[in-house]
């Protein structure tokens, strides 16, 4: 993930309702194309045509395909978060609940491996110009983990550090699985292992 001092684009004004609908249409089109053919299938001209927006308009929203796919990942995580809130994990401990939550997220991505691969590649290719979009993915992942921990309103620095390590591990295991270097069982063991950091940081409360 980019460091806090990364170069950032100037903050954009809030989108109007019409602009938000257009942005959502673009993201849905991107996900559909990625599901069909992965990273290479997402071509800016085709996204614009399928979304019924001008190519120049698409570039104003998303300067590159990497920006677009990272934003698509944030959108996918947002939908997942909404689903998890309706049906939260039932583990006895915070570590259990976070592990269950992240495995549910993993399995959701597993159902659309080409989309998962496209989004993971975009995160890997992201440079400093994509910092705002990458930060959104990180914030969404953090929010999902904190909710699973019990909706902590004021997590300690140690707990936030544990969350960051868990987040990094989750993204890393996703990339490793997509590359065929890890099985789902191995991913689950790694996720459950790193989630034990929650118990270590909570013990100091």
């Amino acid at each position: 993930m980019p460091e806090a001092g990364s170069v950032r684009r100037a903050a954009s004004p809030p989108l109007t309702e019409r602009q938000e609908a257009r942005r959502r249409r673009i993201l849905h089109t991107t996900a559909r194309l990625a599901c069909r053919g992965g990273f290479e299938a997402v071509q800016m001209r085709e996204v614009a045509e399928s979304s019924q927006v001008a190519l120049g308009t698409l570039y104003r929203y998303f300067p590159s395909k990497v920006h677009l796919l990272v934003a698509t990942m944030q959108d996918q995580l947002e939908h997942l978060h909404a689903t998890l809130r309706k049906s939260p994990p039932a583990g006895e401990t915070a570590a259990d609940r976070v592990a269950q939550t992240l495995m549910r997220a993993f399995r959701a991505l597993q159902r659309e491996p080409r989309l998962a691969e496209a989004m993971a590649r975009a995160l890997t290719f992201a440079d400093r110009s994509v910092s705002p979009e990458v930060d959104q993915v990180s914030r969404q992942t953090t929010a999902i983990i904190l909710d699973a921990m019990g909706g902590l309103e004021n997590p300690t620095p140690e707990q936030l550090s544990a969350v960051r390590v868990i987040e990094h591990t989750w993204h890393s295991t996703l990339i490793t699985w997509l590359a065929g270097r890890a099985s789902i069982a191995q991913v689950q063991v790694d996720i459950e292992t790193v989630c034990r950091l929650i118990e270590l940081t909570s013990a100091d409360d």
Side-chain angles (χ1 to χ4, degrees):
M1 297 292 174
E3 297 297 329
S6 298
V7 175
R8 299 174 186 273
R9 297 195 301 276
S12 301
L15 298 179
T16 65
E17 186 175 335
R18 183 178 178 182
Q19 289 171 329
E20 182 58 39
R22 182 184 296 134
R23 182 180 185 277
R24 191 154 298 283
R25 193 164 67 244
I26 290 169
L27 293 176
H28 288 176
T29 297
T30 302
R32 177 171 53 80
L33 291 172
C35 285
R36 189 173 69 192
F39 186 85
E40 301 303 332
V42 179
Q43 300 298 323
M44 297 295 274
R45 185 171 297 279
E46 185 171 356
V47 171
E49 291 175 355
S50 297
S51 304
Q52 298 180 324
V53 301
L55 185 59
T57 299
L58 174 61
Y59 276 108
R60 282 198 297 274
Y61 280 84
F62 305 102
S64 72
K65 179 164 78 170
V66 170
H67 289 82
L68 179 54
L69 280 165
V70 174
T72 299
M73 185 166 197
Q74 192 277 331
D75 187 60
Q76 294 288 313
L77 288 171
E78 189 175 300
H79 285 296
L80 174 67
H81 197 183
T83 300
L84 289 166
R85 281 174 167 166
K86 292 177 183 176
S87 178
E92 292 186 5
T93 69
D96 290 340
R97 293 191 298 273
V98 172
Q100 287 180 27
T101 294
L102 293 180
M103 285 310 299
R104 283 170 65 179
F106 192 92
R107 293 184 188 284
L109 292 171
Q110 185 187 8
R111 288 193 289 272
E112 296 291 352
R114 289 182 174 179
L115 172 60
E117 180 267 343
M119 296 186 301
R121 281 182 67 180
L123 276 175
T124 302
F125 294 156
D127 59 20
R128 289 187 174 188
S129 72
V130 199
S131 290
E133 290 80 5
V134 174
D135 287 348
Q136 286 285 350
V137 169
S138 180
R139 280 193 290 271
Q140 191 67 61
T141 307
T142 296
I144 288 172
I145 294 171
L146 290 175
D147 265 11
M149 288 172 66
L152 298 182
E153 294 185 2
N154 297 298
T156 66
E158 291 78 14
Q159 287 171 325
L160 286 175
S161 180
V163 168
R164 284 193 296 271
V165 174
I166 291 167
E167 178 186 337
H168 295 329
T169 302
W170 185 76
H171 285 299
S172 177
T173 54
L174 174 63
I175 291 170
T176 304
W177 173 76
L178 286 167
R181 300 198 305 271
S183 66
I184 296 297
Q186 289 172 318
V187 166
Q188 183 159 350
V189 169
D190 288 351
I191 293 297
E192 290 175 349
T193 299
V194 76
C195 284
R196 292 176 192 157
L197 285 174
I198 294 171
E199 297 171 353
L200 295 177
T201 56
S202 296
D204 295 332
D205 289 350

